Structure formats: C-alpha cells, structure tokens
Amino acid sequence: MIRGFCLVLLVAFFFALSEAKSSVTQPQAAKSFNISYIQNVRSCSYNVLITTSCSSPKYTRDEISIAFGDAYGNQIYAPRLDDPSTRTFERCSSDTFQIYGPCAYQICYVYLYRTGPDGWKPESVKIYGYNSKAASFYYNTFIPSDTWFGFNLCKSASSSHRHLGLRWWFVIIGLPFVFL
C-alpha cells in the first residue's frame, strides 16, 4: 500500500516537472501578427522597461519598435523607440518608456521589431499596466531584422492549465486503483 502511494507521488512529481519545463518558452517570429489591427486610442499609460543584453553590440543605430497587448484584442504599438543621440539600447543598459494606448487587461504578448545594420540583443522586456500585474518576457537572443519577434502567451496559458488539470485528474482517478 505504501509502495503504491509512493508510486503515485512519483508520477505526480514527473507530471509537475514536465509541466514546468514546457512552460518555459522562447521568443519566435510572429506568423500572423498584423500591425493594422492596432487601435489608435490613447486612454491608458504603460511603463515599458527594456534591458539590453551585455552581449549586444556596444550601441545600435537600428530602428526598434514594440507592440503588445492582451487576450481581448487590446493592442498597443509604439514605433521608433530608438534614439541614438540619447544612447538608447546600449549594451548592459535599461531603458524605460512611457507608452500610451487602449486600456488592456493582463498583457500576454509582446513583439519587438528591428530594422537596420547593427543588430540588437534585448535581455528582457517588462510591461507595467494600470489594469494588470507586471508582465515579464525574457528574450536573451538577437532580434532578426524586418520581422515582428517575441512572445504570444495568450492562448498557451489557458491551454496549459487545461492540460495540467487533465493530468492531475488522471492521477486522482488512478489513485484508488493502486490501493486495491
């Protein structure tokens, strides 16, 4: 009986471990992101903290833009965050931007756009909004040129919780059979 209980705990541990590993995501090119859906409403303010990696070039002359939003279609867009005269996006630095756009709920996606000759490697992006807790996105990779690149966690968060629920349901259902 104790052996069966230990087996169930071991299986549950592996389910939890596999779920934790699968929740770590890497930034990707946006396949269906369309900038034309951006709303031109400027009713809420967002503070965006972008940290540039220490393995990025010393400075960049590239044009950097950002778009982010929630799962309900509220999208915020800021073109041309870069400003070489103010040393924006230098290696090992953090830059804060105040961006206005439509009021959004929990921010669950962010895309960066880079065009230019230098290359740029952000470490992370953290977005603070009025209606949501801070959203953090860890890049630590060079942004490819001329493509929206980042994270869309809007759908994966709900589906991963649903899968986790099913996994635990099977463990709970199987538990009485171990003790028979």
Side-chain angles (χ1 to χ4, degrees):
M1 186 159 154
I2 299 226
R3 185 180 301 170
F5 182 71
C6 289
L7 178 65
V8 169
L9 286 178
L10 184 63
V11 169
F13 172 75
F14 283 118
F15 278 138
L17 185 62
S18 69
E19 183 64 30
K21 284 183 180 179
S22 67
S23 67
V24 176
T25 59
Q26 298 297 317
Q28 298 177 358
K31 294 178 179 141
S32 61
F33 184 71
N34 190 340
I35 199 70
S36 66
Y37 295 129
I38 299 296
Q39 302 160 353
N40 218 5
V41 179
R42 300 173 57 88
S43 52
C44 282
S45 172
Y46 301 88
N47 285 323
V48 178
L49 175 67
I50 300 177
T51 303
T52 298
S53 171
C54 291
S55 57
S56 188
K58 183 174 171 73
Y59 66 92
T60 186
R61 296 166 292 169
D62 294 351
E63 298 176 9
I64 310 291
S65 301
I66 189 170
F68 57 91
D70 65 15
Y72 303 101
N74 298 302
Q75 301 177 350
I76 300 92
Y77 170 62
R80 297 294 312 263
L81 296 174
D82 55 284
D83 184 359
S85 67
T86 62
R87 303 168 67 143
T88 307
F89 302 124
E90 281 191 330
R91 178 188 313 157
C92 298
S93 70
S94 292
D95 298 288
T96 303
F97 304 92
Q98 189 169 25
I99 299 172
Y100 294 91
C103 296
Y105 295 98
Q106 184 60 49
I107 302 300
C108 56
Y109 74 84
V110 64
Y111 293 111
L112 295 169
Y113 187 88
R114 180 193 70 80
T115 186
D118 296 328
W120 175 60
K121 183 178 183 181
E123 182 76 23
S124 63
V125 175
K126 195 164 194 174
I127 303 168
Y128 301 88
Y130 177 74
N131 289 330
S132 63
K133 56 185 174 171
S136 297
F137 302 91
Y138 186 70
Y139 276 83
N140 199 31
T141 189
F142 284 95
I143 303 297
S145 187
D146 301 318
T147 187
W148 287 101
F149 193 74
F151 300 88
N152 185 345
L153 306 177
C154 297
K155 294 177 184 172
S156 66
S158 63
S159 65
S160 69
H161 291 304
R162 186 170 46 248
H163 291 309
L164 179 60
L166 286 174
R167 287 179 182 173
W168 283 105
W169 179 249
F170 285 123
V171 169
I172 291 169
I173 293 295
L175 185 62
F177 293 107
V178 171
F179 295 112
L180 292 178

